[in-house]
Amino acid sequence: CDLIIVDPCAENNPKIVTVVLHVFEEGKLYVPSEYPTIQAAVDAAEPCDVVIVADGIYNGIGNRDIKLRGKAITVRSSNGPENCIIHCADTTNLCGGLDIFSDQGSDPVVDGFTIINANSSAIVCGGEGYPYGGLGSSPTISNCIITGNTSPWAGAGIFCGEGSSPAIINCVIKNNSAISGWDVIGGGGIYCEYANVIITDCVIQENLTNEWGSGGGIHIRSSTVTVRNCLIANNACMGEEYNNGGGIHCRYSDVTIANSTIVGNSARGNGGGVLCYSSDVEITNSIVRDNRARNGSELAIGSRGGEWWPYDDYSSVLTVSYSDVWGGEDAVYFDRGEPGPFTPGPGPRPGTLEWGEGNMDINPLFVDTGKGNYHLRFGSACVDAGTNSPEGGLGLVDLDGNARVIDGDS
């Protein structure tokens, strides 16, 4: 608005001054109109406050390596991830997007950002030991696009460290890469270690590991993880022959995969789609197809190899039901380990495959794989072929938000 200032004694009388009024609601902190950086707003926030970030590209100190400091607050964009970008680039130092760690088990929310060009993990969740130790944070990370990030260690997109319990909802995690020097780490898209993680309604696509890293899309180690209503597509382990689990690598973990499509992933080693290593893995209402690996293109059960891990407990249970798996039961690969200095030859069968009801091996009729459209065409045998037992097992909606149960007769 315009403010007219009148002074009969002044030469420039009257003076018209344009005034912009900002009305700030209690409990809401605005960036950049009220606080110059995201970090400044977070530092000023009290529990339950909401930091609202306006449209724009945010970079530099205070807008990267943002530490939530264990606060139970919400940090969100004004108008979604396409309009609010955290640009982490730093040519001289390792930097990421957000550090969400606590020893108090706080429940912050991060919503609606694009995070790009981190050369460490874009988002880190963990305990006060950063990222290890403590009770750990329990954040909700929703409606984010995490793309074009790298890590010299693990989890270029999201690193879920010890004690953390993040819920990752409706996010696109794409084109991230982890450069790892050993196959016990990796996770180009997401890495979970000693964590309890829920990943739902997400697209995890075109992420990779190289050198010896495993788990191009997701690497799960010593964790409990649920993957539901997700597309895991075209992720890759690009390094040595020991790179395992192109889509998902499971090690010493309990993993549930439901209502998901795992397609087009690749590994130089075993398990192009999913590797189950000393883990309990359950796959239900899912499609596992067109993945590639040296052994077990779709699914593999086993170990890194007896030469280096002769004392590991190879016992695994892989349960598959109401799913479309290319090659069916006979195509599941069992890795008995390799001869080495501590093991004279292949070991016993490294686990159990429980091939349940409702499985099929049939072309699912994707709309257009060349353009990344993995919706099912009309007439696909996979439509209405899942199970809703127990009640609600399918979820109410699919990845597009459409009703999941149509006629309820299966």
Side-chain angles (χ1 to χ4, degrees):
C1 63
D2 291 335
L3 179 65
I4 301 176
I5 302 174
V6 178
D7 184 353
C9 298
E11 293 182 0
N12 59 344
N13 179 58
K15 177 69 173 178
I16 300 175
V17 179
T18 300
V19 178
V20 178
L21 299 177
H22 297 281
V23 179
F24 298 110
E25 302 174 58
E26 184 177 357
K28 293 184 178 179
L29 298 83
Y30 292 88
V31 178
S33 58
E34 186 179 10
Y35 294 89
T37 66
I38 301 172
Q39 186 67 69
V42 168
D43 290 346
E46 299 292 336
C48 301
D49 281 355
V50 180
V51 174
I52 302 173
V53 184
D55 296 353
I57 298 175
Y58 293 83
N59 53 28
I61 296 173
N63 291 317
R64 61 172 184 250
D65 291 320
I66 302 160
K67 295 176 172 54
L68 298 195
R69 307 197 189 284
K71 295 182 177 183
I73 60 175
T74 295
V75 182
R76 67 171 178 86
S77 67
S78 293
N79 296 299
E82 295 83 2
N83 302 298
C84 192
I85 300 170
I86 296 174
H87 192 294
C88 306
D90 186 326
T91 58
T92 58
N93 301 294
L94 289 177
C95 64
L98 292 106
D99 298 336
I100 310 171
F101 58 96
S102 170
D103 61 357
Q104 303 298 321
S106 65
D107 299 317
V109 175
V110 174
D111 183 88
F113 294 94
T114 292
I115 304 176
I116 61 172
N117 288 341
N119 56 12
S120 182
S121 300
I123 298 179
V124 175
C125 312
E128 187 63 33
Y130 181 68
Y132 302 103
L135 178 59
S137 57
S138 301
T140 297
I141 302 166
S142 56
N143 305 309
C144 289
I145 300 172
I146 300 170
T147 185
N149 303 286
T150 61
S151 171
W153 178 253
I158 302 177
F159 186 109
C160 307
E162 183 173 356
S164 67
S165 300
I168 305 168
I169 303 170
N170 196 35
C171 291
V172 175
I173 301 169
K174 183 176 181 179
N175 193 29
N176 304 284
S177 59
I179 305 169
S180 305
W182 200 246
D183 81 327
V184 297
I185 54 179
I190 300 174
Y191 180 83
C192 311
E193 183 168 358
Y194 298 103
N196 190 332
V197 184
I198 296 174
I199 307 167
T200 185
D201 299 325
C202 290
V203 174
I204 301 170
Q205 190 170 17
E206 298 174 8
N207 304 284
L208 63 87
T209 63
N210 54 19
E211 296 189 12
W212 278 22
S214 292
I218 309 173
H219 188 122
I220 303 168
R221 179 179 174 84
S222 303
S223 298
T224 299
V225 176
T226 296
V227 179
R228 185 179 299 276
N229 252 23
C230 290
L231 172 64
I232 315 292
N234 302 317
N235 303 283
C237 299
M238 299 292 292
E240 303 293 333
E241 62 180 298
Y242 300 118
N243 295 120
N244 302 313
I248 304 175
H249 179 109
C250 310
R251 180 184 289 263
Y252 316 132
S253 296
D254 291 323
V255 180
T256 299
I257 302 168
N259 312 329
S260 295
T261 298
I262 302 171
V263 60
N265 304 284
S266 61
R268 290 287 302 277
N270 302 330
V274 180
L275 175 73
C276 174
Y277 177 104
S278 297
S279 297
D280 289 340
V281 178
E282 181 177 357
I283 302 174
T284 309
N285 293 334
S286 296
I287 298 172
V288 186
R289 193 168 185 87
D290 297 330
N291 301 285
R292 301 175 304 281
R294 181 183 60 171
N295 300 302
S297 291
E298 308 305 327
L299 303 171
I301 303 173
S303 69
R304 150 72 168 77
E307 180 176 359
W308 300 107
W309 307 101
Y311 305 115
D312 273 355
D313 178 5
Y314 294 139
S315 178
S316 295
V317 179
L318 173 60
T319 303
V320 184
S321 60
Y322 294 96
S323 295
D324 182 9
V325 180
W326 194 13
E329 180 178 4
D330 292 339
V332 179
Y333 176 71
F334 288 84
D335 180 9
R336 291 174 170 83
E338 301 174 357
F342 304 106
T343 54
R349 187 165 174 152
T352 301
L353 173 64
E354 295 186 355
W355 199 254
E357 297 181 354
N359 292 319
M360 62 179 71
D361 174 16
I362 194 169
N363 187 341
L365 299 180
F366 294 127
V367 171
D368 191 340
T369 58
K371 294 183 178 179
N373 188 340
Y374 297 103
H375 293 85
L376 300 178
R377 298 203 304 263
F378 179 79
S380 170
C382 294
V383 175
D384 203 24
T387 178
N388 197 34
S389 179
E391 185 70 24
L394 277 173
L396 297 177
V397 296
D398 62 15
L399 185 57
D400 290 332
N402 299 318
R404 170 71 73 174
V405 180
I406 298 175
D407 58 21
D409 64 6
S410 178

